[in-house]
Amino acid sequence: MTHIATEDNKLIGNIPSELGLLSNLQELDLFNNQLTGNIPSELGLLSNLQELHLEGNQLSGNIPSELGLLTNLQALYLGESQLTGNIP
């Protein structure tokens, strides 16, 4: 699996940390849902990830520094949330 697209599906709850186990994932689209809580640091394990779309949720807390490990990341969307801290 290289792409997960669940945008605009009214998903609720936290982002599962188990997504970090999907080593071939290149694009993760979770935007415009009702996701809450922190961004799991395990997403920093997604070494092939090129795009991460988390905007339009109710995420909070610090942006995990582990996202700085995503050397293939070309696009990061975190807007419309309650996240704090620096983008790594």
Side-chain angles (χ1 to χ4, degrees):
M1 179 181 315
T2 61
H3 186 179
I4 294 178
T6 61
E7 66 271 5
D8 296 314
N9 278 306
K10 299 180 183 172
L11 298 176
I12 59 171
N14 295 328
I15 298 172
S17 61
E18 292 81 5
L19 288 175
L21 300 174
L22 300 174
S23 59
N24 292 322
L25 201 61
Q26 295 176 0
E27 188 168 342
L28 181 57
D29 296 330
L30 301 177
F31 61 92
N32 292 339
N33 285 291
Q34 297 172 19
L35 298 171
T36 57
N38 297 325
I39 298 173
S41 60
E42 290 84 357
L43 295 187
L45 299 172
L46 297 172
S47 59
N48 292 307
L49 197 66
Q50 297 173 6
E51 294 190 28
L52 179 57
H53 297 265
L54 301 178
E55 72 272 17
N57 284 290
Q58 299 167 13
L59 299 171
S60 59
N62 286 323
I63 299 169
S65 61
E66 290 82 359
L67 294 185
L69 301 173
L70 300 174
T71 56
N72 290 311
L73 195 65
Q74 298 172 10
L76 175 63
Y77 299 93
L78 302 174
E80 300 176 49
S81 65
Q82 305 301 315
L83 296 166
T84 59
N86 295 324
I87 297 174

